[in-house]
Amino acid sequence: MNIVNPGRVRRVTDGVGGHGPVVYWMSRDQRARDNWALLHARERAQARSVPVVVAFCLSQTFLGATLRQYDFMLRGLRETAGRLRALNIPFALLHGAAPEVLPSFLHDLRASELVTDFDPLRVKRGWLREVAAAAGMPVHEVDAHNVVPARLVSERQEYAARTIRPKIHRLLSEFLEPFPELSQVSNVTVPYIAEPDFEEALRWIRVDATVAPVALPAGEDAAEARLLAFIAEGLSSYAEGHSDPNVDGTSGLSPYLHFGQLAPQRAALAAAQARHGGEGREAFLEQLVVRRELTDNFCLYNDDYDALSGAPAWALATLDAHRADPRPHVYTREQFEAARTHSPLWNAAQHELVTSGTMHNYMRMYWAKKILEWSATPEDALATALHLNDRYQLDGRDPNGYVGVIWSIAGVHDRPWKERPVFGSIRYMNSNGCRRKFDVEAYIRARSAAPRQLTLV
């Protein structure tokens, strides 16, 4: 009987590998616990009576990520490497993009199979195609990120949450299952892999160091602690606190989910098994499972997920019809980045983003919609919002981020609303709406500071 549901596994290529280990190319799911891809690699290795080796390919740059994101990621990987070492599973930190360094690593080990995790982003899909073509061995992709595998949920781009929700719910009982323990490797000779040098890795990368790391603890243990605290203290009130940025009502799990330090399925199991929760539990599971997996679906089946051309036809038409509308204010990217707009509320949200690496979801919607209203063109607005989101958010460069921005600016997964200047029939938000939701002045007082000089790249 398979440990991993075959519906999670996609055979990318066939081939005849060597007689060496099964290699798990860790990428999106950076954890030893609760990792279906690693469990599948371990299962394949046991069938062949060979060891399993984990390899992570560290790119010098990646989609505009800064020192903030690399620092958080490498702190988590350090913990994961130690956890794997305790299980007698070597961890290799390879310096370079996967197509540049992974094929030779596989060849040197005489690897028998390659297993990797699922990622819907264009660059990751491109890397997988290149590596698979060069590997000459069986290559498997395992969806260790979605509760219900994205490729199994739907074979096309879904229009909205209401169209993907029944497809996910129909399969949820099959895939929302407990994780088995990852057993220690024994009775095989494990190849020597040099211990990763994480300090040297930080020196080797070529990223913008002016966006400083944040003090948020990283890694699997920190992710688990945050999850347990949220289930105990925040799950029941999640439905109310989710729309008030002055209340610590969000789960705080987004950075850990983004870097794969926590399995979304572990969070879903914890919420589903909690003895309390009520409406809060239902709201959390809707965001964690349905809404998050909807963003993976969008990026998997729409290659223009980060461009205006990826928006629905009605949104493109309405934005185009209002392209020449006078804007009340027009700011440059540099002015947005430095929080130098006329709006204390918007500036406070931008300051929170720059200093903390996070922003409340409700404020991120308002923040992006005001960028649309105060930019010369919709194209400029989308480019600015994505640049700032990816540069400062710990969870930037992610399907949730791309879809959140293009939903706000170009109506993805939404419907036409009342027509207004600049927005057309894109859903509108303003500060008065925020005032009806929460204490705007308290938010501004808590997050505002004199705009600091930023080094722009």
Side-chain angles (χ1 to χ4, degrees), residues 256-269:
Y256 303 110
L257 296 172
H258 168 78
F259 286 101
Q261 296 170 5
L262 175 70
Q265 185 161 338
R266 173 58 63 193
L269 286 167

Side-chain angles (χ1 to χ4, degrees), residues 185-199:
V185 172
S186 58
N187 301 322
V188 293
T189 301
V190 177
Y192 171 75
I193 302 290
E195 286 293 314
D197 186 335
F198 289 97
E199 285 75 20

